[in-house]
């Protein structure tokens, strides 16, 4: 069945790569089957982001999440996504030690989830790793700019490229991951002119988060956009709903109903069949 944009087949990593400079790529995070089912008709790419460490598991940063957890959530999202391209984050500690370590982890992710690619953070330092994964037919979504896996607490979430050295570093990272064969890259938390220069320079799509409309697409953490994750709302997030408030309203109404014995009502009860009475 065609989705809301008229697409009826699975969106591949090649389709994503081909969108450079074309219609903006629409990307969101998903961690569960029901959320993947809801988002799937509306997006090009679903990312099972390691942001789930903070959003689902209440951790202070993303570094606490394990490969096994990412695989479980990745498989759940794959069960719900029929059309979007699904990419799973390689978590902190599962790929940095060596290209061979990354290949081992990425192979597990691909084999145990059936996802279409993996994402990893880093630039020049990850070029050899990206090259090895791509040589082994594992599509890689790169991630440059602000790298949450390198952040040890909230104060570390700093916008990149405000000084000359930072600008040059992120630009070199973007070029390195593109040259290494990534099919697209997330550009996180950079000043707008840097995101623009990266997008104009590299041959693969840039997917921005806090990186301006100059990118070839956008991604947000779905729980931020829905107003469910309320610990903090970064400047770059636009809230499209306040589901956190709705959840509280529903819980309050349920509690009142239970306490006053309005719930369950007769319509929620199982009756004995007449023949048994
Ligand atoms: O983990 C994540 O959700 C991400 C996105 C914010 C890009 O990396």
């Amino acid at each position: 069945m065609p989705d809301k944009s008229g697409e009826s087949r699975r969106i591949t990593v090649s389709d994503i790569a081909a969108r450079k400079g074309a219609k903006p790529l629409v990307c969101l995070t998903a961690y569960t089957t029901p959320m993947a089912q809801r988002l799937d008709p509306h997006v090009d790419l679903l990312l099972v982001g390691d942001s789930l460490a903070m959003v689902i598991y209440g951790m202070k940063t993303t570094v606490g999440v394990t490969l096994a957890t990412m695989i479980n959530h990745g498989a759940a999202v794959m069960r719900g996504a029929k059309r979007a391209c699904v990419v799973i984050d390689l978590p902190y500690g599962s790929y940095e030690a060596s290209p061979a370590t990354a290949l081992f982890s990425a192979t597990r992710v691909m084999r145990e989830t059936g996802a279409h690619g993996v994402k990893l953070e880093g630039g020049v330092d990850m070029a050899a790793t990206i090259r090895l994964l791509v040589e082994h037919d594992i599509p890689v979504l790169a991630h440059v700019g602000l790298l949450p896996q390198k952040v040890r607490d909230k104060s570390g979430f700093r916008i990149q490229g405000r000084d000359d050295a930072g600008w040059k570093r992120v630009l070199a990272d973007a070029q390195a991951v593109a040259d290494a064969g990534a099919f697209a890259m997330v550009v996180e938390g950079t000043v707008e002119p840097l995101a623009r220069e990266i997008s104009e320079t590299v041959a693969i799509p840039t997917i921005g988060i806090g990186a301006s409309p100059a990118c070839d697409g956008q991604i947000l953490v779905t729980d931020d956009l829905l107003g469910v994750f309320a610990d903090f709302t970064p400047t770059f997030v636009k809230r499209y709903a306040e589901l956190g408030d709705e959840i509280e309203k529903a819980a309050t109404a349920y509690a009142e109903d239970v306490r006053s014995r309005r719930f369950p009502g007769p319509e929620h009860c199982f009756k004995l069949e007449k023949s048994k009475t």
Side-chain angles (χ1 to χ4, degrees):
M1 201 179 79
D3 62 48
K4 308 257 147 68
S5 64
E7 275 286 346
S8 57
R9 63 169 179 85
R10 176 73 78 175
I11 298 172
T12 64
V13 293
S14 308
D15 295 328
I16 301 287
R19 293 271 289 275
K20 177 72 191 171
K23 201 163 76 161
L25 288 160
V26 179
C27 314
L28 281 172
T29 60
Y31 316 124
T32 63
T33 304
M35 190 57 88
Q37 284 167 334
R38 292 278 177 181
L39 301 177
D40 186 57
H42 308 281
V43 301
D44 299 306
L45 183 144
L46 285 173
L47 173 70
V48 186
D50 61 357
S51 51
L52 64 78
M54 300 166 76
V55 172
I56 303 281
Y57 291 101
M59 297 175 188
K60 291 268 177 278
T61 70
T62 59
V63 303
V65 72
T66 64
L67 189 62
T69 300
M70 294 307 299
I71 288 173
N72 285 339
H73 283 277
V77 167
M78 281 303 291
R79 286 192 279 274
K82 300 287 169 256
R83 172 193 155 270
C85 181
V86 177
V87 173
I88 301 179
D89 256 336
L90 291 183
Y92 174 79
S94 72
Y95 66 96
E96 307 88 329
S98 67
T101 311
L103 181 59
F104 180 78
S105 298
T107 303
R108 268 197 69 190
V109 168
M110 300 296 283
R111 196 182 48 223
E112 294 178 38
T113 67
H116 310 110
V118 297
K119 177 165 84 57
L120 54 82
E121 296 184 9
V124 173
D125 57 335
M126 281 297 132
T129 296
I130 294 172
R131 209 165 271 122
L132 184 70
L133 298 192
V134 173
E135 273 166 21
H136 284 79
D137 295 323
I138 299 179
V140 177
L141 175 61
H143 186 149
V144 301
L146 196 162
L147 305 179
Q149 290 179 6
K150 302 239 166 12
V151 169
R152 292 289 164 270
D153 58 51
K154 247 193 304 190
S155 67
F157 287 95
R158 280 208 201 88
I159 298 307
Q160 305 291 300
R162 288 214 155 108
D163 59 4
D164 207 36
W167 180 297
K168 285 192 180 129
R169 183 178 44 75
V170 179
L171 190 57
D173 283 344
Q175 196 59 66
V177 299
D179 292 347
F183 71 88
M185 74 180 79
V186 168
V187 180
E188 178 162 1
T190 66
V191 292
E192 169 158 14
L194 173 56
R196 189 173 300 282
E197 182 167 348
I198 293 172
S199 299
E200 286 171 0
T201 309
V202 300
I204 58 174
T206 55
I207 300 170
I209 173 160
S212 90
C215 297
D216 299 296
Q218 299 295 324
I219 186 162
L220 281 179
V221 171
T222 299
D223 297 63
D224 284 341
L225 162 155
L226 295 179
V228 181
F229 182 68
D231 286 9
F232 58 94
T233 305
T235 311
F236 57 77
V237 169
K238 177 170 173 184
R239 285 217 188 173
Y240 287 83
E242 294 298 341
L243 295 196
D245 294 347
E246 291 302 312
I247 290 169
E248 288 208 32
K249 264 193 241 160
T252 305
Y254 168 70
E256 281 168 5
D257 278 0
V258 170
R259 286 182 190 122
S260 62
R261 298 192 186 282
R262 277 195 304 266
F263 176 82
E267 70 276 31
H268 306 116
C269 297
F270 298 102
K271 314 270 180 308
L272 264 182
E273 282 162 29
K274 277 225 166 70
S275 60
K276 300 220 173 98
T277 58

